[in-house]
Amino acid sequence: MTRKTRTTAVALSAVAFAIAVAAAGPAAAHAEVEAEGARALDKNVSLTFSAESESASAGISKLEVVLPEGITPQDITYEKGPQGWKFAPTGRGYTVSGPKLAVGEDAEYVVTVRQLPDANELVFKTLQSYSDGKIDRWIQLEEEAEGDGHGHGHPAPRLKLKAAAPGAEFVSPAPEEEPTTPAPSKGTASDEPDDASSAQPVADDTKDDDGMPVAVPLGIVAAVLVLGGGGAWWLRTRRNRSA
């Protein structure tokens, strides 16, 4: 009985261990961010992000990151990642996405931050999408992830920062200068027509130098000739009658 009891106990222990391993498998997966020796207010800091795959049938195809306060999408420069993946800024952070990875393959990429904010810790909430539409939400804060008493959950990637170096200061981004075109001053060439003659109507060929139409004097001459001819005829007729 003793031997049989021991055998049964060993068998039960093995089963319990297998169940525990199976249950702990998904909980062991995580998303992380690393930057060795990072300090608050450090400039041009390289951050390495990694997200473990939890799917046994689909590959990771996209990671969407919500940036913490003090870092904007314009502060991020994409350095490298999975082959074919691209970086795209969003309203609250950025995405890194591309062809799906092999089933079970973890996603890892590197970005550079222009300057870290003055903080003790940074949280990068991450949504991890798979090719089958499933999404792992690495968005829980530390206290939320431990809410079930077993440490299970999807904690957001966290980066602890050392105190800022002596004399370190926040450097605001240089404002973008918009090109401006100065307004032309009054009386310059741009205010006047290119061809001065275009500002006035072209002279009419039917007018003489005094501005009188040419047809008017011609009509007067014709009338004089007609009247003169008529007057001469009338005088000749009168003389003939008198004779």
Side-chain angles (χ1 to χ4, degrees), residues 24-34 49-54 60 63 106-107 126 128 130 136 138 153-157:
H30 56 276
E32 292 184 340
V33 56
E34 297 179 351
F49 288 85
S50 60
E52 295 187 4
S53 175
E54 286 191 314
I60 301 173
L63 297 173
D106 302 335
T126 302
Q128 177 176 323
Y130 294 85
D136 288 339
W138 304 101
H154 287 77

Side-chain angles (χ1 to χ4, degrees), residues 60-62 78-88 95-101 105 108-109:
I60 301 173
S61 59
K62 182 174 73 172
Y78 183 60
E79 301 296 346
K80 62 180 180 179
Q83 185 174 3
W85 282 35
K86 295 182 179 180
F87 173 91
T95 62
V96 179
S97 61
K100 68 176 181 178
L101 303 182
E105 182 180 351
E108 184 173 302
Y109 67 92

Side-chain angles (χ1 to χ4, degrees), residues 52-191:
E52 295 187 4
S53 175
E54 286 191 314
S55 176
S57 59
I60 301 173
S61 59
K62 182 174 73 172
L63 297 173
E64 180 179 354
V65 175
V66 178
L67 290 171
E69 185 177 356
I71 303 178
T72 67
Q74 291 71 31
D75 295 327
I76 301 295
T77 301
Y78 183 60
E79 301 296 346
K80 62 180 180 179
Q83 185 174 3
W85 282 35
K86 295 182 179 180
F87 173 91
T90 65
R92 58 181 183 173
Y94 63 86
T95 62
V96 179
S97 61
K100 68 176 181 178
L101 303 182
V103 176
E105 182 180 351
D106 302 335
E108 184 173 302
Y109 67 92
V110 179
V111 298
T112 296
V113 182
R114 186 185 64 84
Q115 185 177 27
L116 297 177
D118 190 4
N120 297 323
E121 185 178 64
L122 302 176
V123 178
F124 298 84
K125 294 184 178 182
T126 302
L127 302 180
Q128 177 176 323
S129 300
Y130 294 85
S131 56
D132 61 357
K134 177 186 174 184
I135 298 178
D136 288 339
R137 302 177 183 276
W138 304 101
I139 60 175
Q140 293 178 327
L141 301 180
E142 206 166 58
E143 56 273 17
E144 296 173 340
E146 297 176 354
D148 60 0
H150 300 286
H152 297 175
H154 287 77
R158 308 171 77 93
L159 179 65
K160 294 186 179 296
L161 302 179
K162 297 180 180 180
E169 296 180 355
F170 177 75
V171 180
S172 59
E176 296 182 3
E177 296 183 0
E178 298 182 359
T180 57
T181 303
S185 59
K186 186 176 180 180
T188 60
S190 59
D191 289 330

Side-chain angles (χ1 to χ4, degrees), residues 2-23:
T2 303
R3 182 176 297 176
K4 186 179 292 185
T5 301
R6 289 179 180 175
T7 302
T8 302
V10 171
L12 292 175
S13 297
V15 171
F17 178 77
I19 293 174
V21 170

